[in-house]
Amino acid sequence: MSDFFRDMAVNPMLLTGLLAGLLASVACGVIGPYVITRRVVFLAGAIAHTAVGGIGAAIFLSYRWPGAFGWLTPPVGATIVAVASALLLGVMHDRVAERMDTLVGAMWAVGMAAGVMLIKFTPGYHTELMSYLFGSIATVASSDVWLIAALDAVIVAAVLLTHKRLLAICLDEEQAGLQGVSVLGTNLLLLTLVALTVICLIQVVGLILVLALLTLPAAAASHHVRRLAPIIWISVGLCMVLTTGPRVAVYGTRLSPESAIVLAAAGLYLLSLLLTRLRARPGGR
Amino acid sequence: MSDAGPVIELRGVTFGYPSADPASPVLSGVTLTVPRDDFLGVIGPNGGGKSTLLKIILGLLTPQGGEVRVFGRPPRQVRWRIGYVPQHAGMDLAAPASVLDVVCMGRLHRSSWGPVFGRSHVGAAMEALRQTGTADLARRSVRQLSGGQRQRVLIARALASDAELLLLDEPTAGVDEQAERGLTELLHELNRRLPIVMVSHDVGFVSAQLKRVACLAGTLTVHAAAEVTHELIARMYHDGVAAVRHHEHCPAAPPQHHEGAR
């Protein structure tokens, strides 16, 4: 562990990686509690996986037509497609009552498959795909840190402005509508924020593991506090610990830091569950 | 309240769900006038259209035929003046929220932006909790409430919106007998200043405090409560099958019964 901090002095990439993790923690710690309360974890998964389609399209297009699509970097492509699929899913959520899960599953698979295929058409990018799927916290560029910081600012500002509306549709959609809140609009906003969070997390833990950081810290926090606002604060804190601690701990070993983050998140969740069980026993609370 | 007319007016309202058989609508030719001081119970068999009727009054559903007026206006324009107490199934009981959070949602039409409700809105929510005798539950999680407490909290949420009319859907479902008596008293108390329309299949609850009873099984017939208590309710109670007897007793609405209040 001391190796990590010693090397940080000479290798600024390590510091950049830590910063990226801390900043991404703000996004997933804030949005995760809404996702689990609103029960849209599956939609978040679909958004994350269709983002692979966006990455694939960006890599392919900018390789084929560098003049026309030079601006289309993988994070930009992922952002465009993730937001578009969030809006599509939100409208489907509103209009399609039956078999919604089938459609979501289909989008999930198609987005992923399209992305993988487009990347296969592009020579020399196969390793990059792996880094988007499983994360590459060691190679985060400082421009990515700025992008994550900007997305954080958007997410936090949006939540400060609309927390009451988001909570209202979580508690009782029909009542929120009767009080003049647009349920569809609020839902679209939430899913768009989920899409932005997914973009933040791509760099840190990769798409495959997004769901873990979005759900496990928030779920662990909700074991112990009963209101949404403190759950948000606690899950931001837990995400920060999780994106930092395991990284430092496995530094210099052969273990992948991204997998360590997710396994630590799962361990934390189980520990929290165990604590609530113990407290629920007679003699406890 | 400026307008002195009836709070609810339905004229010849017909409604069928799009997926259902158009030849047999859920509601057909429903006519109803609810005056300012009314305490109306709507009873009828399951599938008779009770909840549909409430949703039409709220403007959540638009009837294919007939006219709906609430406070003399189309329902969508005034729906925030209606305190709606849904069947408690509508509320997410696993939600991470305190009782006060839930009741504050009654203030959402006045304060929907920003992270928190201001002091005046929290004050109004606390006052609504006091009126329903649940002020001591304010900090409690909604997960920890009993059935009766939950109903009171939902009524408080409706009151917090400064409602001028209360609509309740099956308020006694899942509530024990003692809590039910308490709810009856509470509603009786609230009826001193608010018109109340309540849907229920629980005739025992219905009989206690109501001024009028409407029988709804596709069509609607209104009786003065006294008239109903002696004949109809007794018979319904007796065999416990409200649906069958009910239908016999509420034939396709004769006009003189139809709108006794007018």
Side-chain angles (χ1 to χ4, degrees), chain B:
Chain B
M1 253 183 275
S2 52
D3 28 9
V7 280
I8 302 173
E9 274 186 294
L10 304 183
R11 264 193 297 273
V13 167
T14 299
F15 180 86
Y17 288 96
S19 55
D21 176 13
S24 53
V26 182
L27 301 175
S28 59
V30 168
T31 293
L32 172 70
T33 302
V34 176
R36 301 246 137 218
D37 61 343
D38 206 0
F39 191 169
L40 174 72
V42 181
I43 57 176
N46 286 331
K50 301 190 296 289
S51 298
T52 305
L53 182 73
L54 289 189
K55 290 192 169 166
I56 285 174
I57 296 171
L58 286 162
L60 290 172
L61 295 174
T62 310
Q64 284 93 12
E67 208 185 341
V68 184
R69 285 284 177 274
V70 181
F71 305 114
R73 318 262 299 268
R76 284 175 159 277
Q77 294 176 13
V78 292
R79 57 160 64 138
W80 52 269
R81 290 165 68 185
I82 308 173
Y84 174 49
V85 182
Q87 287 197 45
H88 56 73
M91 189 166 75
D92 182 358
L93 294 174
S98 69
V99 164
L100 187 58
D101 287 332
V102 169
V103 176
C104 277
M105 288 304 164
R107 307 295 294 177
L108 202 60
H109 67 282
R110 289 165 196 275
S111 164
S112 68
W113 299 106
V116 290
F117 286 97
R119 190 168 297 194
S120 66
H121 298 298
V122 174
M126 281 307 298
E127 177 54 31
L129 281 167
R130 268 189 289 279
Q131 286 171 17
T132 55
T134 45
D136 53 326
L137 302 177
R139 304 280 157 203
R140 195 84 67 87
S141 162
V142 287
R143 303 175 206 181
Q144 300 165 315
L145 299 179
S146 70
Q149 288 170 335
R150 206 177 301 145
Q151 279 307 338
R152 283 172 178 268
V153 167
L154 290 177
I155 292 172
R157 184 179 73 181
L159 294 176
S161 69
D162 299 331
E164 296 160 44
L165 160 70
L166 273 189
L167 299 185
L168 299 96
D169 196 351
E170 301 280 3
T172 56
V175 169
D176 68 45
E177 214 171 299
Q178 197 192 342
E180 184 177 319
R181 268 198 300 276
L183 275 175
T184 317
E185 277 164 34
L186 172 64
L187 290 176
H188 182 61
E189 190 63 36
L190 292 173
N191 183 230
R192 288 166 201 256
R193 59 188 176 88
L194 284 172
I196 299 178
V197 175
M198 185 178 84
V199 149
S200 182
H201 68 273
D202 181 350
V203 265
F205 180 66
V206 161
S207 64
Q209 309 285 358
L210 297 175
K211 291 177 179 155
R212 299 192 304 156
V213 173
C215 303
L216 183 63
T219 56
L220 183 116
T221 321
V222 180
H223 308 263
E227 172 191 342
V228 178
T229 13
H230 297 295
E231 32 182 286
L232 185 74
I233 300 278
R235 286 177 66 187
M236 282 200 250
Y237 243 152
H238 182 64
D239 54 23
V241 186
V244 180
R245 292 291 184 192
H246 189 155
H247 212 68
E248 284 172 19
H249 215 92
C250 302
Q256 67 272 26
H257 260 163
H258 216 118
E259 252 326 311
R262 288 242 292 204

Side-chain angles (χ1 to χ4, degrees), chain A residues 221-255:
Chain A
S222 68
H223 287 152
H224 306 285
V225 285
R226 301 287 187 207
R227 296 186 65 223
L228 196 53
I231 290 177
I232 290 172
W233 289 114
I234 293 174
S235 45
V236 168
L238 289 178
C239 284
M240 285 183 166
V241 170
L242 285 168
T243 51
T244 310
R247 259 214 86 191
V248 175
V250 301
Y251 182 75
T253 71
R254 292 179 55 213
L255 299 173

